[in-house]
Amino acid sequence: MFLKKVSCMLIVFIILLNFIDRGVIASDGEITLKEAIDIGFQRAKEWNVNVALTSVNSVDEKMGGSRGKTGKRFSWFMIFIVPGTDDYVLIGISEKKITVFRPSKQSPGPTIPYDDIKLDSSDVLQLAKEKYGLQQGKDWATGYHFTLDNIDGIPLLTVVGNDRDNRFARISFNAKTGDVVSAIHKLPYGGGLLSKRKGTDNLTKKGMAITGVVAGKNKLVVLGDKKPTQFSTTKQPFIEMSNNNGESWTELKANNYVTHAWFDMNEQLYVATEKELWTGITSKRKGRNILSLEHTIERVDYSINNHIAVLSSGKIYYSTNQGKSWEQATVPKPFYEIQISDNGDLVALTEDRKIIQKINDDWNEMALPNHNDLPDDMKVIHNRLFITTQSGIWIRNLQEENWRKIQVDERIVKFIKKSENLFGYTHRGESIYSVNTKDERKPEKVFDAVDSIVMDVDIMGDTLWIATIPNYSWEEMTIQQR
């Protein structure tokens, strides 16, 4: 029951403040949890002499220092209430000074008697290190963080960091007695590359975060992270190729973390990294750079004949000659999706769910089959536009105005386009459907995700390849053996 309550709580200390990034500076302004409480109490009592403490948490910042390594942080938040009323005040502290003082009203929570706080943040950190080998957090909640709450009448002092395998962990102590109340960490389950063929399933690369799978005629490429954590899939990024239907793999020499990959009609591999496009990468060479941008690549699309469109920082970069030369177009409004046809037509789905097409220098809004039926997603294959809405899937040729409807058993909310193949996710990715792109036949369900988190899917021959990433659940930690 206790674990359920703790797991359901939002970790308030992950509020990210817009502090000025001052780099690594001296840690003179860092204080422990109890020191922060003393400063907060003094100010709160000036507001109302009857205040009582209900919660405390440290806050992420970019101020350098020890980041909790000594049980101290630069920044803290705490809430005081006036017992018997709905008055409360939120107090923020940075470098020993009050930076936030925000009175308001809310239903009062349980209070924490000051005399019950026998242990400080520095004390529980030392205990957590000794008993469980707790390490500093990375990627999210950097360093060590601390919270204090009243849970079921217990003054619960929690230290948060990473376990020995860099997995998110939190260890809670009774602040009055020093007893361990809870020690839990987030463990991965699932993840990997799943192949389905004639009723048989095979899972490889178990536990990895497979973020992409690309099938050519005879080649297969997967990309992702070999050692993912709950908050990062870029710890040990990789991209590998197989020439024997996934029986063996060769790592490719990519330049930086790969976000997208595809084959052209000649089985030439193209990849996108954060700000670049490359082609011709192998296990021995990085290949040839065909586009370098100043800002992050947000969307990439390619046509069957390998026209390429890239969305980055309000601009579209597109090529109709395999990336030998590029043109630019300015985005008239924020885009959710950008597509390019075999004819080089640019089509976009805007964030306000409008379909617009670039004709010469103008972007023209396309009339939808039902103005009350907004598109969830859209893709272009050859010169045909596919949109998915609440009422089903609709198709039209880009040079025509008539829409044709495909009936569906479940609502498709997102498309995955792989060359001439089109797949669709249902809500939360629970089911994957194959959408016929040559006629209006009803989509066929090809995969029930169950507990899998599907990131990508492709098909080669009679084998369906499904890229999945791990999910995470709270599990009990064991005391470190010496």
Side-chain angles (χ1 to χ4, degrees):
M1 183 66 180
F2 171 81
L3 284 178
K4 186 175 181 180
K5 285 188 177 183
V6 172
S7 298
C8 291
M9 291 173 57
L10 290 175
I11 305 174
V12 183
F13 63 83
I14 304 304
I15 302 170
L16 295 176
L17 298 182
N18 292 321
F19 288 105
I20 298 173
D21 187 354
R22 286 176 277 180
V24 177
I25 63 174
S27 57
D28 293 343
E30 293 183 311
I31 52 178
T32 67
L33 178 139
K34 288 190 72 173
E35 290 171 338
I37 292 173
D38 290 339
I39 295 172
F41 248 128
Q42 182 177 349
R43 178 64 182 90
K45 285 182 177 294
E46 294 174 4
W47 173 67
N48 190 305
V49 71
N50 297 316
V51 294
L53 179 68
T54 64
S55 67
V56 185
N57 58 265
S58 59
V59 183
D60 252 7
E61 26 70 16
K62 300 178 180 179
M63 301 166 68
S66 71
R67 296 193 181 276
K69 191 175 181 179
T70 59
K72 298 180 178 183
R73 300 288 308 204
F74 282 115
S75 304
W76 299 84
F77 271 128
M78 61 200 68
I79 294 177
F80 295 91
I81 67 168
V82 180
T85 75
D86 59 357
D87 293 329
Y88 83 95
V89 62
L90 172 68
I91 291 179
I93 296 173
S94 179
E95 295 184 281
K96 303 181 183 179
K97 297 179 181 179
I98 304 293
T99 55
V100 175
F101 185 84
R102 193 175 301 152
S104 188
K105 294 182 180 293
Q106 70 173 17
S107 299
T111 61
I112 305 169
Y114 183 82
D115 291 341
D116 284 356
I117 310 171
K118 304 297 185 184
L119 272 67
D120 203 347
S121 50
S122 54
D123 301 318
V124 294
L125 175 60
Q126 188 62 34
L127 291 171
K129 287 181 178 179
E130 292 175 357
K131 291 179 178 290
Y132 298 97
L134 193 70
Q135 301 175 4
Q136 288 185 297
K138 300 175 182 178
D139 306 315
W140 192 72
T142 56
Y144 295 104
H145 276 285
F146 310 91
T147 68
L148 178 65
D149 298 277
N150 182 328
I151 305 294
D152 294 336
I154 299 173
L156 200 71
L157 182 48
T158 299
V159 54
V160 178
N162 283 359
D163 67 10
R164 294 182 294 276
D165 295 315
N166 287 322
R167 295 170 299 201
F168 190 47
R170 50 200 277 182
I171 302 166
S172 301
F173 298 85
N174 186 320
K176 188 174 183 179
T177 66
D179 295 334
V180 176
V181 178
S182 168
I184 53 179
H185 54 173
K186 279 282 186 79
L187 297 186
Y189 64 89
L193 180 65
L194 177 66
S195 61
K196 292 178 65 66
R197 180 176 180 270
K198 294 181 179 178
T200 61
D201 297 352
N202 181 41
L203 181 66
T204 58
K205 301 186 182 297
K206 297 178 182 179
M208 296 185 187
I210 308 300
T211 56
V213 57
V214 184
K217 296 176 182 177
N218 302 297
K219 298 177 181 178
L220 189 69
V221 165
V222 293
L223 53 109
D225 188 356
K226 294 180 179 179
K227 292 288 185 181
T229 66
Q230 185 182 9
F231 308 108
S232 176
T233 55
T234 59
K235 288 296 181 184
Q236 291 188 25
F238 73 96
I239 178 169
E240 295 179 349
M241 180 181 289
S242 173
N243 294 303
N244 53 13
N245 207 39
E247 293 183 13
S248 62
W249 298 88
T250 300
E251 188 150 2
L252 302 180
K253 197 175 181 63
N255 188 44
N256 298 319
Y257 176 66
V258 174
T259 57
H260 301 81
W262 70 94
F263 290 110
D264 68 9
M265 292 183 295
N266 299 316
E267 294 258 279
Q268 180 84 3
L269 181 64
Y270 288 73
V271 302
T273 60
E274 183 184 12
K275 297 179 180 180
E276 298 175 326
L277 292 186
W278 293 77
T279 185
I281 68 169
T282 68
S283 60
K284 296 181 179 179
R285 60 190 182 95
K286 292 187 289 187
R288 177 171 57 90
N289 179 277
I290 60 173
L291 181 67
S292 294
L293 299 177
E294 181 180 353
H295 300 285
T296 300
I297 293 173
E298 300 161 21
R299 295 283 189 273
V300 177
D301 186 49
Y302 58 95
S303 64
I304 304 302
N305 55 357
N306 208 36
H307 297 332
I308 307 169
V310 174
L311 176 65
S312 175
S313 187
K315 291 184 179 179
I316 298 171
Y317 303 82
Y318 60 101
S319 172
T320 55
N321 56 12
Q322 308 278 322
K324 294 182 178 64
S325 61
W326 296 85
E327 296 184 65
Q328 290 186 32
T330 302
V331 174
K333 58 175 67 176
F335 284 176
Y336 172 78
E337 185 63 86
I338 181 68
Q339 294 282 287
I340 190 167
S341 75
D342 284 0
N343 290 339
D345 299 310
L346 292 174
V347 184
L349 174 61
T350 67
E351 289 188 357
D352 57 357
R353 304 295 162 173
K354 307 292 185 184
I355 303 288
I356 58 176
Q357 181 178 0
K358 186 176 183 295
I359 299 175
N360 298 322
D361 293 329
D362 297 322
W363 289 90
N364 296 339
E365 184 175 338
M366 191 177 296
L368 298 176
N370 184 340
H371 69 277
N372 292 321
D373 202 13
L374 299 179
D376 293 312
D377 199 5
M378 68 103 185
K379 289 290 185 282
V380 172
I381 296 179
H382 288 300
N383 297 303
R384 302 175 82 202
L385 172 64
F386 295 76
I387 67 171
T388 179
T389 72
Q390 185 173 0
S391 65
I393 296 173
W394 297 83
I395 311 171
R396 60 164 281 186
N397 190 295
L398 288 176
Q399 279 70 48
E400 299 175 358
E401 295 184 359
N402 295 327
W403 291 92
R404 297 182 300 282
K405 186 177 181 180
I406 299 178
Q407 297 295 332
V408 295
D409 290 331
E410 299 181 78
R411 181 177 179 180
I412 303 296
V413 298
K414 183 175 174 59
F415 284 136
I416 298 175
K417 183 178 83 171
K418 292 301 177 76
S419 187
E420 295 181 289
N421 299 309
L422 187 64
F423 301 91
Y425 282 95
T426 60
H427 181 59
R428 294 183 178 177
E430 293 172 352
S431 298
I432 306 295
Y433 282 82
S434 175
V435 181
N436 193 298
T437 60
K438 295 180 172 62
D439 56 41
E440 284 76 56
R441 278 181 289 174
K442 183 184 292 186
E444 175 189 0
K445 183 186 289 190
V446 293
F447 183 65
D448 278 315
V450 193
D451 292 328
S452 301
I453 302 178
V454 177
M455 296 298 291
D456 202 8
V457 62
D458 206 342
I459 191 167
M460 186 166 66
D462 59 356
T463 304
L464 183 71
W465 295 92
I466 303 162
T468 70
I469 63 173
N471 206 338
Y472 295 82
S473 64
W474 287 112
E475 304 289 345
E476 294 279 1
M477 292 180 70
T478 57
I479 293 179
Q480 180 175 257
Q481 299 297 318
R482 295 186 179 279

